[in-house]
């Protein structure tokens, strides 16, 4: 099947009340594990490539691996740039076959963020590529954070409407308490669902995106630690919250950390149990299996299993 754009995946997700998983890819085993899971579960898929992944594996290698997956499976797959940080990077990805890009100007003042997105949108739209933007700062909600502090950090619903209108972005990554990595909350995990509802009210029928959505499952942290890792106190977003978000207008949910944990636990297990092993296939193959099983599970958490 040919690559699809995120626009068509989002239209179906909004109508169907589920979210599409956007999984970060860096090499062949990760791509294969994710795509095998989506094929088994008949799920639409977003494979996303960060700037770091693109320099690590190189643009053409990743694109050819994804093309190989598309030849093998009849699955709707979008190829998305995750956290693009410049017009030039977005342009290179659009020219090089990506079907969706994110331009992340969330660290910039409002007007500069809008200006940068406009520049990318003006290049992307005539080429049929939708653009994701971000407003607000990703940071975990802690109990001591007051409502006024939250207003300064998280996405403001009124600003979100203005931001989308002025920038022409096709989807918006919102800050409601999620954050990147394995250490999302110091105390009880919580997300600002009231704010999410306000954003939906301000932008009816508009696709929202949730970054930093890994759940950091305790069993995988424990496996990593059991086999020599050091991840004390790692904590993610509980899966019930991810499922709750996926039933709203959040139609893209980004997951990277949980794949890293699954892969690392599997590799550490082989190294620890069979120290004499040095054939990479003997540890990369269980790592690929671990990614496949993690993704299969996530596709049910997001409600997109069976929706391809
Ligand atoms: O949000 C960032 C993703 O987890 C990608 O991370 O920039 O280390 O590739 P990376
Ligand atoms: P996690 O670190 O929670 O997996 O988030 C990944 C992400 O948002 C990629 O853009
Ligand atoms: Zn992100």
């Amino acid at each position: 099947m040919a690559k699809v754009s995120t626009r068509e995946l989002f239209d179906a997700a909004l109508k169907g009340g589920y979210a599409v998983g956007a999984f970060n890819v860096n090499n062949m085993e990760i791509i294969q594990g994710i795509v095998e899971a989506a094929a088994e579960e008949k799920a639409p898929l977003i494979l996303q490539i960060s700037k770091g992944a693109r320099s690590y594996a190189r643009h053409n290698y990743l694109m050819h691996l994804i093309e190989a997956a598309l030849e093998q499976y009849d699955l709707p797959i979008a190829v998305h740039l995750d956290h693009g940080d410049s017009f030039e990077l977005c342009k290179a990805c659009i020219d090089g076959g990506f079907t969706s890009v994110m331009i992340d100007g969330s660290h910039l003042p409002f007007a500069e963020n809008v200006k940068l997105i406009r520049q990318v949108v003006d290049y992307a739209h005539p080429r049929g590529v939708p653009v994701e933007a971000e407003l607000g700062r990703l940071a975990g909600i802690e109990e001591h954070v007051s409502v006024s502090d939250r207003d300064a950090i998280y996405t403001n619903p009124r600003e979100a409407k203005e931001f989308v209108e002025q920038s022409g972005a096709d989807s918006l990554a919102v800050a409601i308490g999620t954050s990147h990595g394995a250490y999302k909350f110091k105390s009880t995990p919580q997300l600002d669902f009231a704010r999410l509802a306000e954003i939906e009210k301000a932008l009816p029928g508009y696709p929202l995106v949730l970054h930093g959505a890994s759940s950091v499952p305790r069993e995988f942290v424990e496996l990593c630690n059991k086999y020599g890792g050091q991840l004390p106190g790692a904590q993610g977003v509980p899966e019930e919250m991810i499922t709750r978000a996926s039933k709203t207008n959040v139609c893209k949910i980004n997951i990277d950390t949980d794949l890293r944990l699954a892969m690392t636990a599997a590799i550490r297990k082989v190294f620890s149990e069979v120290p004499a092993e040095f054939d990479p296939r003997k540890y990369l193959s269980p790592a690929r299996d671990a990614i496949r099983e993690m993704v299969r599970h996530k596709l049910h958490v997001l409600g997109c299993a069976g929706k391809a």
Side-chain angles (χ1 to χ4, degrees):
M1 181 162 181
K3 284 171 286 186
V4 297
S5 90
T6 44
R7 187 171 291 128
E8 46 205 283
L9 298 185
F10 293 168
D11 286 346
L14 283 171
K15 281 195 198 104
Y18 61 88
V20 182
F23 301 100
N24 287 75
V25 301
N26 296 278
N27 70 7
M28 182 186 78
E29 286 76 9
I30 297 175
I31 292 173
Q32 288 178 336
I34 297 169
V35 173
E36 281 168 17
E40 280 172 29
E41 299 296 337
K42 300 188 174 31
L45 193 58
I46 299 169
L47 295 176
Q48 56 183 8
I49 297 169
S50 69
K51 180 182 178 177
R54 188 170 173 270
S55 15
Y56 170 77
R58 295 178 224 151
H59 187 114
N60 286 348
Y61 282 82
L62 291 172
M63 292 311 276
H64 282 96
L65 286 167
I66 294 171
E67 291 295 345
L70 286 158
E71 270 171 30
Q72 191 171 352
Y73 300 104
D74 188 24
L75 268 186
I77 301 179
V79 183
H80 174 78
L81 170 65
D82 188 28
H83 294 283
D85 64 353
S86 67
F87 169 76
E88 290 71 26
L89 175 58
C90 291
K91 179 179 181 302
C93 289
I94 294 165
D95 293 346
F98 282 44
T99 58
S100 176
V101 293
M102 174 189 194
I103 177 71
D104 182 357
S106 56
H107 54 288
L108 297 171
F110 187 95
E112 282 176 50
N113 192 356
V114 165
K115 191 171 162 209
L116 180 59
I117 299 160
R118 259 279 149 228
Q119 191 187 8
V120 174
V121 162
D122 288 345
Y123 190 78
H125 281 184
R127 291 161 181 82
V129 174
V131 177
E132 174 184 325
E134 178 169 325
L135 183 66
R137 250 182 35 231
L138 290 193
I141 295 184
E142 299 302 338
E143 268 132 29
H144 63 271
V145 176
S146 69
V147 173
S148 59
D149 282 348
R150 283 187 195 183
D151 279 337
I153 299 171
Y154 300 133
T155 309
N156 174 307
R158 197 177 17 81
E159 278 187 4
K161 182 177 162 56
E162 243 176 85
F163 185 71
V164 164
E165 283 168 1
Q166 290 181 24
S167 67
D170 301 274
S171 59
L172 181 70
V174 293
I176 56 162
T178 62
S179 63
H180 292 113
Y183 298 90
K184 300 188 192 296
F185 304 100
K186 290 195 192 74
S187 48
T188 315
Q190 46 178 320
L191 297 185
D192 196 339
F193 281 104
R195 182 177 299 269
L196 179 59
E198 287 300 313
I199 299 169
E200 284 189 295
K201 224 191 280 168
L203 290 167
Y206 184 82
L208 304 175
V209 178
L210 201 60
H211 282 244
S214 279
S215 295
V216 191
R218 187 186 297 251
E219 67 214 87
F220 287 89
V221 173
E222 282 170 2
L223 273 179
C224 284
N225 291 343
K226 176 175 167 191
Y227 295 115
Q230 285 187 1
L231 296 163
Q235 196 174 191
V237 184
E239 284 180 347
E240 322 72 87
M241 292 188 193
I242 297 299
T243 298
R244 183 172 166 192
S246 70
K247 292 179 176 156
T248 68
N249 288 352
V250 169
C251 42
K252 170 173 177 277
I253 293 198
N254 286 12
I255 296 173
D256 186 7
T257 295
D258 285 349
L259 307 192
R260 294 179 178 192
L261 283 173
M263 186 169 200
T264 302
I267 292 174
R268 279 194 177 282
K269 184 168 190 283
V270 176
F271 284 171
S272 165
E273 288 180 347
V274 199
E277 188 54 73
F278 67 97
D279 177 346
R281 293 169 298 185
K282 296 287 170 31
Y283 52 85
L284 290 176
S285 161
R288 178 173 56 193
D289 293 346
I291 287 185
R292 187 187 61 237
E293 293 314 305
M294 174 65 82
V295 172
R296 283 186 62 189
H297 173 68
K298 294 288 171 185
L299 297 173
H300 288 275
V301 172
L302 305 184
C304 61
K307 306 290 186 186

